[in-house]
Amino acid sequence: WCEIDDQPAFQIGSCEVTWRRQQHPGGSVGYRLDFPEARLLYLTDTVGDDSESALQWYQDADLMMHECYFGEARAQWATKTGHTWTGRLAKIAQSAAPQKLLLTHVNPLDAEPSVMMTEVDAALSTEGTDSGVELHLAADRDRIDFGPA
């Protein structure tokens, strides 16, 4: 265990880790891991920060792991419970333009979480144009390669 409250950044081997607080009941932290040739974002337990400073911090990610707990129809409930919904995530991903977007921390009571991926994909694809963001829905034992091949 190592407190990070007074450390805006720290090193783990060749990886620089930075973090920022996120909006969520009880608090939450998002992480950015900058490896020499790749960037990973881990953003869960959050309503999804779409502020200019957050979007700048998210830029150039090879892999953005972001929660998507609710579909668009439950956006108000998402805000009340401190979680992200499909429309908010699509807005964030559209601005941040990660190479890959992994939807994670999905609602375990949702019988068809793949519908959320369809909603995000539709929102990302404007005027019939592919966003270029590779979408994945997290599943146990997944392996997602990212960074240079």
Side-chain angles (χ1 to χ4, degrees), residues 12-99:
I12 299 175
S14 63
C15 176
E16 180 183 43
V17 179
T18 55
W19 61 275
R20 59 183 292 126
R21 296 188 192 285
Q22 302 182 119
Q23 184 181 347
H24 183 74
S28 175
V29 174
Y31 295 95
R32 185 175 79 193
L33 286 76
D34 286 306
F35 298 93
E37 296 184 13
R39 175 174 287 166
L40 179 142
L41 298 169
Y42 180 79
L43 309 162
T44 188
D45 280 334
T46 177
V47 296
D49 190 348
D50 61 354
S51 68
E52 192 60 39
S53 63
L55 295 174
Q56 185 67 33
W57 193 73
Y58 301 154
Q59 289 295 308
D60 301 322
D62 295 285
L63 175 61
M64 175 186 275
M65 300 170 64
H66 201 297
E67 83 151 68
C68 192
Y69 207 81
F70 293 107
E72 190 63 28
R74 296 209 162 165
Q76 286 184 324
W77 188 240
T79 301
K80 285 182 184 179
T81 60
H83 292 288
T84 307
W85 63 98
T86 54
R88 172 66 65 89
L89 179 54
K91 180 181 177 184
I92 290 168
Q94 214 162 28
S95 295
Q99 294 294 309

